[in-house]
Amino acid sequence: MDLRRSINNMIEPRNQETVLSRVYDYLMLAAIVIGIIPLMFRNQIKLFWFFDIISCACFLVDYILRWITFDYRCSNKKWFSFFVYPFTPMAIIDMFSILPTVNLLAPSFKLFRVSRLLKILRVVKVIRYYEPLEIILSVIRKQRKLLLTVLSLAVFYIFITAMIMFNGEEDINPETGEYLFDTFFDAFYWASCTLTTVGYGDLYPISNTGRVISIISSMVGIAIIALPSGIITAGYMEELRARKDRIKTESNET
């Protein structure tokens, strides 16, 4: 096996999981963690500077390794696949994760004043190295049509509930002297919170009519919210079984 293929198997453990690939994943996850720790503090200390340099160095090495082995993961395994890689979604995220350190090393780069916000993109990199998240995203891609149907149902229900509440709750808020739901957006916001069972408590009906609407909305909302959970859970288990069968088949072939 040539060196580039070995590197590809190391950075893409889904292809051939080994001890080395697991160590690489853990190393990159550690780099991501120390790279986002400074974002949890207002005051930056010297230790955070080292954290940023170390994490950026890991990201840069990972970017280069993925670039030089991209032809193994590209459906069209030709030389121009190396020109395609920098424009792939995850490569763009990787680059934006590296760029903030340029501002750290050379503050004169005023273009990167948003570096602190760009560093948040490093969290997205966890998807690549944390298999459960990668599986969930795969399930969402496969079940996107069904999930979009449920989403459209939820939005439609929120709209209808908000319309009913907006016209059914006509009591005046004693604190403001205005309608409790002064605008349709207030009713839409309330309906969204009720559907998701969040219940912030800043807007709530005070008339009997509004309370009845709220009870019905909450009961139906629980059923609608439960649908995506069931779809994702079933898809997750199916994806796990498919991956186990694929690994078993590949091991038998070897």
Side-chain angles (χ1 to χ4, degrees):
M1 185 180 296
D2 61 271
L3 178 60
R4 288 200 310 118
R5 184 179 294 277
S6 300
I7 293 174
N8 182 63
N9 290 337
M10 178 185 69
I11 63 178
E12 289 291 335
R14 311 300 174 263
N15 297 339
Q16 184 177 339
E17 188 169 317
T18 62
V19 175
L20 186 60
S21 67
R22 282 186 174 273
V23 171
Y24 186 83
D25 279 0
Y26 293 146
L27 177 63
M28 291 306 302
L29 284 172
I32 293 171
V33 170
I34 66 173
I36 62 177
I37 283 178
L39 298 177
M40 304 176 187
F41 299 87
R42 291 292 182 187
N43 298 324
Q44 301 297 303
I45 60 177
K46 189 68 174 179
L47 180 62
F48 293 162
W49 185 87
F50 288 108
F51 280 178
D52 206 3
I53 296 298
I54 294 171
S55 63
C56 182
C58 293
F59 298 155
L60 183 59
V61 171
D62 181 68
Y63 185 89
I64 295 172
L65 293 180
R66 292 183 181 279
W67 194 350
I68 64 176
T69 59
F70 185 64
D71 55 325
Y72 287 107
R73 302 184 301 278
C74 185
S75 57
N76 195 346
K77 298 182 178 181
K78 294 185 178 180
W79 61 269
F80 56 80
S81 63
F82 299 107
F83 295 96
V84 175
Y85 177 74
F87 303 100
T88 58
M90 285 305 297
I92 293 173
I93 292 175
D94 289 343
M95 181 55 67
F96 280 139
S97 300
I98 296 170
L99 284 179
T101 306
V102 176
N103 185 44
L104 183 69
L105 296 175
S108 59
F109 282 82
K110 302 300 181 182
L111 179 64
F112 302 124
R113 287 178 180 236
V114 294
S115 60
R116 189 173 176 86
L117 293 176
L118 288 177
K119 288 180 183 179
I120 298 177
L121 289 175
R122 295 176 179 179
V123 180
V124 181
K125 292 170 66 66
V126 174
I127 298 171
R128 178 181 282 158
Y129 307 103
Y130 189 52
E131 188 176 8
L133 283 179
E134 195 258 339
I135 293 176
I136 289 177
L137 286 181
S138 177
V139 171
I140 292 174
R141 284 195 298 268
K142 292 179 179 179
Q143 303 291 339
R144 60 182 178 276
K145 291 184 178 179
L146 190 56
L147 291 173
L148 284 174
T149 301
V150 175
L151 177 62
S152 62
L153 174 63
V155 173
F156 177 75
Y157 181 75
I158 290 173
F159 179 81
I160 294 298
T161 306
M163 186 69 71
I164 295 173
M165 181 61 77
F166 183 67
N167 290 277
E169 179 63 63
E170 296 184 346
D171 283 17
I172 300 297
N173 189 335
E175 296 181 359
T176 62
E178 300 176 348
Y179 285 111
L180 187 66
F181 297 100
D182 193 40
T183 64
F184 181 74
F185 178 77
D186 291 337
F188 194 88
Y189 165 75
W190 167 86
S192 301
C193 294
T194 303
L195 177 71
T196 56
T197 66
V198 173
Y200 289 117
D202 52 345
L203 283 176
Y204 52 89
I206 57 178
S207 67
N208 290 332
T209 301
R211 288 174 177 175
V212 170
I213 296 172
S214 180
I215 291 172
I216 297 173
S217 176
S218 300
M219 294 176 65
V220 178
I222 292 174
I224 294 177
I225 288 298
L227 288 175
S229 301
I231 294 170
I232 293 176
T233 301
Y236 188 88
M237 299 305 296
E238 183 180 348
E239 183 70 15
L240 279 179
R241 285 194 295 269
R243 292 187 177 218
K244 287 181 180 178
D245 292 340
R246 186 169 63 249
I247 292 173
K248 186 182 295 183
T249 301
E250 290 176 355
S251 62
N252 292 334
E253 290 177 354
T254 56

